[in-house]
Amino acid sequence: MNLVDLGPIAQLRAGRLGRRLPQLYLGLVMYGVSLAMMYRGDLGLAPWDVLHSGLIQHVPITIGQAVVVVSFLVLLLWIPLREIPGIGTVSNALVVGFSADATLAVLAEPDALVLRVALMVGGVLLCGLASALYIGAQLGRGPRDGLMTGFARRTGHSIRLVRTCLEVTVVVIGVLLGGTLGLGTVLYALAIGPLTQLWLPAFTVDLDRPGPLVPAPGSVCP
């Protein structure tokens, strides 16, 4: 499994777009579906989605629209960090939110606790698979992942520390705004890294043009 760090033009020139582009968009759509499943389960959301769910308590937008808005706000922070977006970065900012809203339009919130638990667990599992798909396509980091790697590079701190600080911050802000925090948040935090790591080797596309190797992420976010 070789993950490489390429600029946006090199990403496209690296070949195998016939597989990589469909895999990227399939992964992003599935990520949005997984968000919607956890949202309908109403037992806790992923850290950034706690923020999104809190934001919609105060602004008349959907949670999918909140994902898109926050994604582009995060991309503004890439400018001083000198992170370079790729096609996957911009696609991530748009597709996940649209997919989440489309799924929520047809997925009702169940009354039975067992079904809500199933949605929560299924959402986490699907998110791990979706993450492996879009990361393995090697077409650019998601907005939040780029924020994490940018801060890590600028500060010299570890990815683990920077990610923890960012996610604790967004969870605290989300909770203060009224976002959904619960068992699903804890399950996501514990499981998403191992699940992505488990599936990533199967979906990492070897590229025709080598670049600097980057470590496989222990956990990811869009």
Side-chain angles (χ1 to χ4, degrees), residues 193-215:
L195 286 172
T196 305
Q197 192 75 38
L198 174 66
W199 284 314
L200 193 56
F203 295 107
T204 298
V205 182
D206 290 329
L207 303 182
D208 296 338
R209 176 175 297 183
L213 295 181
V214 295

Side-chain angles (χ1 to χ4, degrees), residues 6-217:
L6 300 175
I9 302 301
Q11 290 167 8
L12 295 175
R13 290 178 175 174
R16 306 194 67 183
L17 292 179
R19 172 181 169 180
R20 292 166 63 214
L21 285 172
Q23 179 175 313
L24 168 70
Y25 289 107
L26 176 61
L28 294 178
V29 168
M30 289 169 58
Y31 206 111
V33 173
S34 74
L35 189 167
M37 291 172 65
M38 293 186 69
Y39 188 80
R40 287 295 189 229
D42 197 27
L43 292 171
L45 297 170
W48 280 92
D49 294 329
V50 175
L51 174 62
H52 301 143
S53 65
L55 181 62
I56 66 175
Q57 305 301 316
H58 305 274
V59 182
I61 57 177
T62 66
I63 192 165
Q65 291 167 347
V67 171
V68 174
V69 170
V70 171
S71 293
F72 280 100
L73 290 175
V74 168
L75 283 177
L76 292 178
L77 296 176
W78 281 36
I79 298 173
L81 294 173
R82 296 183 180 178
E83 288 287 298
I84 301 176
I87 185 173
T89 307
V90 178
S91 298
N92 191 309
L94 295 170
V95 175
V96 172
F98 294 155
S99 172
D101 276 349
T103 305
L104 289 171
V106 297
L107 180 64
E109 181 176 333
D111 294 323
L113 179 60
V114 65
L115 295 178
R116 292 168 59 200
V117 170
L119 282 174
M120 176 189 69
V121 174
V124 172
L125 291 171
L126 184 62
C127 187
L129 178 58
S131 298
L133 283 166
Y134 88 77
I135 291 172
Q138 308 211 60
L139 283 164
R141 302 181 184 93
R144 295 153 188 80
D145 277 338
L147 183 65
M148 172 186 67
T149 57
F151 273 128
R153 190 181 66 253
R154 286 290 182 175
T155 64
H157 295 307
S158 68
I159 291 287
R160 185 187 302 272
L161 176 61
V162 171
R163 182 181 183 86
T164 299
C165 291
L166 284 173
E167 294 196 344
V168 168
T169 300
V170 298
V171 165
V172 170
I173 295 173
V175 169
L176 291 175
L177 291 173
T180 306
L181 177 71
L183 178 61
T185 310
V186 177
L187 179 62
Y188 181 96
L190 293 175
I192 193 65
L195 286 172
T196 305
Q197 192 75 38
L198 174 66
W199 284 314
L200 193 56
F203 295 107
T204 298
V205 182
D206 290 329
L207 303 182
D208 296 338
R209 176 175 297 183
L213 295 181
V214 295

